[in-house]
Amino acid sequence: MLQVGIVGLPNVGKSTLFKTLTKKQVDCENFPFCTIEPNVGVVEVPDTRLAKLSEMSGSQKLIPTAVEFVDIAGLVKGAHKGEGLGNKFLANIREVDMIVHVVRDFEDSNVHHVEGDIDPARDVETIEIELAMADISTVEKRLATVQGKMRAGKTKELEMEESVLQRWFAVLEQGKMVNTVELTEDEKNVVTEVTLLTNKPILYVVNVDEVTAAKQDWISPLGPDRLALPLSIKVESEIMEMSPEDQELFLTELGLQLSGLDRLIAKCYELLNLITYFTSGEKETRAWTIERGTKAPQAAGVIHTDFEKGFIRAEVIAYNDFVEHGGESGARDNGKLRVEGKEYMMQDGDVCHFRVST
């Protein structure tokens, strides 16, 4: 399951965001390999297609795809030296697939800011420097290992890895993120085992007031190079206290299809280059998460590893065709069901039935 770590300085709204997200927590019985701890919440990925498929198939059960959000504790200036709960913070954040970095950009005299005033760009830099300093030691150790191997005998792969590590080190020394360094596919392959905090995808959530959150022409205070989403976490928290009917009415009045939280979840999904395919029948309609570019046997393996091994073919209907023709039988009768083999690359919204040998 996709795991997202929420980070930020004290009093920026990080914990409130996590608490609000966990009010959307899904029933964990559908995710048997997921152990839920107090600081972890499993949250549904919003997808209106799921309910439509379930309705058309007369499904008894509907199971969404989900994201794990982890409330990462203990980040303050000096975390890489062990300040605050720094070591725990660094250990936790290394495990996540991506980072949601919450930054405060609202005034409230009742909520103290650790630096004394509001400056989102400065706060982002503070945390990015902590991540970079923590990564420097990782890169130094790996570089020493690679150079030791090169003394015994140089190879093209070792030389390439040394080059990447040296470029990373130069960027980290400046307190910058290594995800700003462009690599070729071959270069990416030689450093796949090097896990760096600053190489993870990051979505910046700028916690703003209610008025700013409603602006259509909002300009990020973090500049054009950081992917940022404005969110009034206070308002989102209030929305989650409403009934589903009142939530829908409230969002309609604002001219929105999705709440800020749903947009946040969807943006995380998008940033990790993930897509959804579906299985749908009388028993259940279920959404499955795969990386864009996944082929049919590997997609089947997400359901069960044996399905990949015994893959024969995939029977595929595009979501729009499934809906337009009233379900599987209608799509089949109208020639919209395709039989795909092992080289088929899955598309977002595919409704699938996999044929496998047992």
Side-chain angles (χ1 to χ4, degrees), residues 257-273:
Q257 287 187 317
L258 296 174
S259 70
L261 287 186
D262 284 343
R263 283 184 281 123
L264 164 62
I265 297 164
K267 187 62 72 174
C268 291
Y269 202 70
E270 177 188 323
L271 192 58
L272 282 163
N273 202 28

Side-chain angles (χ1 to χ4, degrees), residues 53-55 57-63 280-286:
L53 290 172
S54 178
E55 177 189 336
S57 297
S59 303
Q60 299 170 24
K61 198 173 184 180
L62 186 154
I63 304 175
S280 187
E282 289 185 11
K283 183 179 178 183
E284 68 176 33
T285 290
R286 183 162 186 161

